[in-house]
């Protein structure tokens, strides 16, 4: 166990050292820092790009599953939560989600459509036996990752609702970006669901 931890620690140290080297921090030159960062950003998701640098420094970008009824939010202001009334019992939601006039499987498909239309957003997990999905999205310039958890909740025949949780991996504060993301998603999801329900 100690050997494995030692190897993991050395690998992380080497990764951090590599990122520091690319950024030019070793020489403490601001010009080198700017150039190194520009190279990382330009490479983006390519090998040696900013996404690889974030992974070396902070680990896998997908922050994993959540259980909405028992969810507790992060201590730092780096997340946003949208829930139907009474579903997220231990966490204060930023946004309340109404019941929508479409069945759960269709609502899940609408969420997938909205996610697919969102730049730099990919499906990273789709549950087989429950209606839960997880998406990874990245910011436009620095490619900072955020995980979006989605759970579809049945609400009677032909009706359903959902819970959404968006959280940033690399930030001390998100300045409301996760809440804004969920608000935008819910507006588009709600419009499509109500339009279909009115047919």
């Amino acid at each position: 166990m100690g050997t494995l931890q030692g190897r993991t620690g050395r690998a992380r140290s080497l990764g951090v050292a590599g990122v520091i080297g690319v950024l030019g921090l070793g020489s403490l030159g601001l010009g080198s820092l700017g150039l190194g960062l520009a190279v990382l950003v330009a490479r983006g998701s390519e090998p040696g790009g900013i996404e690889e640098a974030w992974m070396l420094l902070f680990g896998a970008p997908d922050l994993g599953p959540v259980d909405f009824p028992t969810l507790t939010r992060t201590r730092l202001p780096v997340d946003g939560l949208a829930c139907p009334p009474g579903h997220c019992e231990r966490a204060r939601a930023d946004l309340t989600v109404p019941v929508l006039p479409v069945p759960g499987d269709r609502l899940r498909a609408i969420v997938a459509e909205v996610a697919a239309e969102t730049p730099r957003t990919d499906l990273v997990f789709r549950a087989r036996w429950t209606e839960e999905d997880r998406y990874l999205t990245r910011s436009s310039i620095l490619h900072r990752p955020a995980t979006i958890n989605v759970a579809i909740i049945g609400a009677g025949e032909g009706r359903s609702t959902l819970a959404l949780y968006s959280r940033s991996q690399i930030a001390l504060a998100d300045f409301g970006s996760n809440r804004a993301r969920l608000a935008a998603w819910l507006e588009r999801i709600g419009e499509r669901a109500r339009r279909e329900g009115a047919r």
Side-chain angles (χ1 to χ4, degrees):
M1 187 72 171
T3 303
L4 178 59
Q5 288 176 341
R7 289 178 182 171
T8 303
R10 283 193 296 274
R12 176 66 61 87
S13 298
L14 288 172
V16 172
V19 172
I20 289 173
V22 171
L23 288 175
L25 293 177
S27 62
L28 297 178
L30 292 179
S32 296
L33 173 60
L35 179 60
L37 182 58
V39 169
L40 287 173
V41 171
R43 288 179 178 170
S45 59
E46 297 175 5
I50 189 71
E51 292 184 14
E52 187 173 291
W54 292 142
M55 193 175 329
L56 286 169
L57 289 170
F58 298 99
D62 176 13
L63 298 178
V66 298
D67 179 60
F68 283 96
T70 61
L71 171 68
T72 57
R73 298 181 63 174
T74 63
R75 295 183 179 181
L76 295 172
V78 294
D79 64 355
L81 177 64
C83 271
H87 188 71
C88 298
E89 300 173 1
R90 298 185 183 178
R92 176 190 52 79
D94 299 305
L95 302 162
T96 301
V97 184
V99 172
L100 297 167
V102 290
D105 59 345
R106 182 57 196 142
L107 182 57
R108 188 179 191 181
I110 290 172
V111 173
E113 292 167 9
V114 169
E117 294 167 2
T118 304
R120 301 170 304 279
T121 301
D122 298 294
L123 177 69
V124 293
F125 175 80
R126 180 175 175 84
R128 184 173 181 182
W129 304 114
T130 60
E131 292 188 301
E132 297 181 16
D133 299 314
R134 196 162 65 251
Y135 297 88
L136 186 69
T137 189
R138 295 182 184 273
S139 63
S140 59
I141 298 175
L142 294 180
H143 294 236
R144 291 184 302 174
T147 301
I148 306 166
N149 296 79
V150 181
I152 305 298
I153 305 155
E157 186 175 356
R159 291 155 53 90
S160 58
T161 185
L162 72 159
L164 298 166
Y165 184 47
S166 180
R167 54 198 159 135
S168 300
Q169 182 191 37
I170 307 165
L172 295 177
D174 69 358
F175 304 101
S177 63
N178 282 292
R179 184 187 186 283
R181 177 183 298 114
L182 296 188
W185 277 36
L186 285 174
E187 182 177 3
R188 291 157 65 191
I189 292 165
E191 285 176 359
R192 295 187 188 195
R194 284 186 285 270
R195 188 165 59 242
E196 290 191 16
R199 290 175 185 171

